[in-house]
């Protein structure tokens, strides 16, 4: 291995953890959650802990005989990003 290639490999080895740490910090500051599996990578919004409407709970329960949770706009109105990696295999027959 030449000195130039060794220097490039060491620089790359040092840059990757720094990039991952910066991306994790940016996701945390933006109240985003990153999840990945072999089929997709998803970036979704999380409720903001300092929201004056929901106080970080993400919503509130509406009254009535059948209470439902109403989502707060601090996270439900934000877009989510999905990147498809591998195609999900089709079902040969219904799962029931």
């Amino acid at each position: 291995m030449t000195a130039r290639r060794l220097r490039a490999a060491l620089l790359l080895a040092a840059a990757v953890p720094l990039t991952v740490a910066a991306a994790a910090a940016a996701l945390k500051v933006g109240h985003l959650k990153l999840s990945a599996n072999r089929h997709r990578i998803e970036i979704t919004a999380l409720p903001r802990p300092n929201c004056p409407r929901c106080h970080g709970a993400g919503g509130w329960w509406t009254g009535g005989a059948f209470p439902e949770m109403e989502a707060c706009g601090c996270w439900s109105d934000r877009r989510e990003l999905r990147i498809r990696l591998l195609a999900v295999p089709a079902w040969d027959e219904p799962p029931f």
Side-chain angles (χ1 to χ4, degrees), residues 12-89:
L12 182 64
V16 169
L18 181 64
T19 305
V20 169
L27 288 172
K28 187 173 182 180
V29 167
H31 303 288
L32 299 169
K33 181 178 104 175
L34 174 72
S35 58
N37 59 28
R38 58 184 242 178
H39 297 292
R40 73 185 65 85
I41 299 172
E42 293 181 349
I43 299 176
T44 56
L46 294 174
R48 297 177 192 255
N50 57 355
C51 177
R53 291 175 36 194
C54 69
H55 305 289
W60 50 88
W61 292 97
T62 59
F66 303 104
E68 294 182 358
M69 185 168 186
E70 185 174 333
C72 183
C74 70
W75 68 275
S76 66
D77 296 337
R78 295 170 60 194
R79 292 177 42 172
E80 59 185 36
L81 175 67
R82 289 188 183 145
I83 301 171
R84 222 171 114 174
L85 300 176
L86 292 174
V88 178

